[in-house]
Amino acid sequence: MSPSAQITLMNFIVLSAISTWFLMAGLVFAAELPATGVQQESHFETRSPVAAKIDYLLFLPQDYERSVQRWPLLLYLHGGGESGTNLAKLKRNGPPKFVKSNPDFPFILVSPQTQNGWDSRTLTALLDNVISRYRVDTRRVYLTGLSMGGGGTWALAAAHPEKFAAVVPVSGVGNPTDATKLAALPIWVFHGGKDTIISVEYSRKMVAAIKAAGGNVKY
């Protein structure tokens, strides 16, 4: 994605609207409150509904500690090239890269890392735990992801559309049969027309299916 597209993506997320949330039980979490305006490595474990461990980067806005307001939250899912156990790899692309040079980013940013693909149940548990621990404006929870993370974005949004104010899948593979679940969500889809890894046809089919279901989708 070009720098101009990244900036456009961030502007869209800032302007998008509402969501609801449901807190899940059976969670174990280990992390200290990071300094604001910087990213800190954190760890999360869930034993319910599925046993899983996940490491992630957490960024809090510069003014988080100096205010009592609730903040919008952005959940970012990386692509296959950033998979593994080295969280520093996440800072190569997308929002984790953006906040390195823009510490005034006015969102809580959660950037998990996976080794074997995205699991919606684990991501949901992580999201709910972060919401329970930090001052999150649950009307403004946003989801985006790149490539493999774009596919994860489609899947998580379909599993829990009520949690997100808007979603931005980038070059991801979705399931067109999920269109009716996604139709009520504001969605902005990005995909390079010359993508040789994930064909642009995957995004085109998702957009067509969501439009056919009466959805609010921009492509």
Side-chain angles (χ1 to χ4, degrees):
M1 185 166 56
S2 68
S4 61
Q6 286 186 341
I7 294 171
T8 303
L9 170 60
M10 303 316 302
N11 288 341
F12 167 74
I13 293 170
V14 171
L15 295 174
S16 300
I18 61 170
S19 177
T20 58
W21 64 283
F22 296 92
L23 184 62
M24 298 175 68
L27 307 178
V28 179
F29 176 85
E32 295 180 359
L33 185 68
T36 56
V38 299
Q39 298 186 83
Q40 173 172 295
E41 297 183 2
S42 301
H43 175 73
F44 172 80
E45 295 184 30
T46 176
R47 298 193 179 102
S48 175
V50 60
K53 299 179 181 180
I54 191 165
D55 294 326
Y56 65 99
L57 293 173
L58 176 67
F59 171 89
L60 296 179
Q62 285 182 324
D63 294 332
Y64 182 88
E65 293 180 348
R66 295 193 295 269
S67 71
V68 296
Q69 74 181 74
R70 293 190 173 273
W71 295 86
L73 181 147
L74 174 61
L75 177 61
Y76 167 71
L77 308 182
H78 65 75
E82 289 74 58
S83 298
T85 58
N86 180 3
L87 285 169
K89 293 168 66 175
L90 302 186
K91 299 178 183 180
R92 297 174 179 172
N93 296 303
K97 178 180 179 180
F98 182 84
V99 298
K100 285 199 301 181
S101 56
N102 295 271
D104 58 345
F105 185 57
F107 279 67
I108 295 172
L109 173 62
V110 179
S111 306
Q113 186 176 42
T114 181
Q115 298 184 56
N116 302 304
W118 295 111
D119 178 79
S120 293
R121 296 169 297 175
T122 302
L123 290 171
T124 301
L126 170 63
L127 178 62
D128 287 341
N129 189 271
V130 171
I131 288 173
S132 74
R133 292 178 59 87
Y134 298 97
R135 295 195 308 276
V136 175
D137 182 348
T138 55
R139 300 168 302 169
R140 293 186 293 164
V141 176
Y142 306 90
L143 172 64
T144 188
L146 171 67
S147 192
M148 181 182 76
T153 296
W154 283 122
L156 182 56
H160 289 286
E162 78 284 352
K163 290 185 178 293
F164 301 105
V167 298
V168 184
V170 181
S171 302
V173 177
N175 185 347
T177 63
D178 288 333
T180 56
K181 301 174 185 176
L182 298 164
L185 269 176
I187 302 173
W188 196 353
V189 181
F190 287 80
H191 206 131
K194 296 182 179 180
D195 192 330
T196 59
I197 306 299
I198 298 177
S199 171
V200 68
E201 290 304 317
Y202 287 107
S203 287
R204 290 174 177 169
K205 289 178 181 178
M206 287 299 296
V207 169
I210 294 169
K211 286 184 175 180
N216 176 15
V217 58
K218 181 176 180 180
Y219 173 57

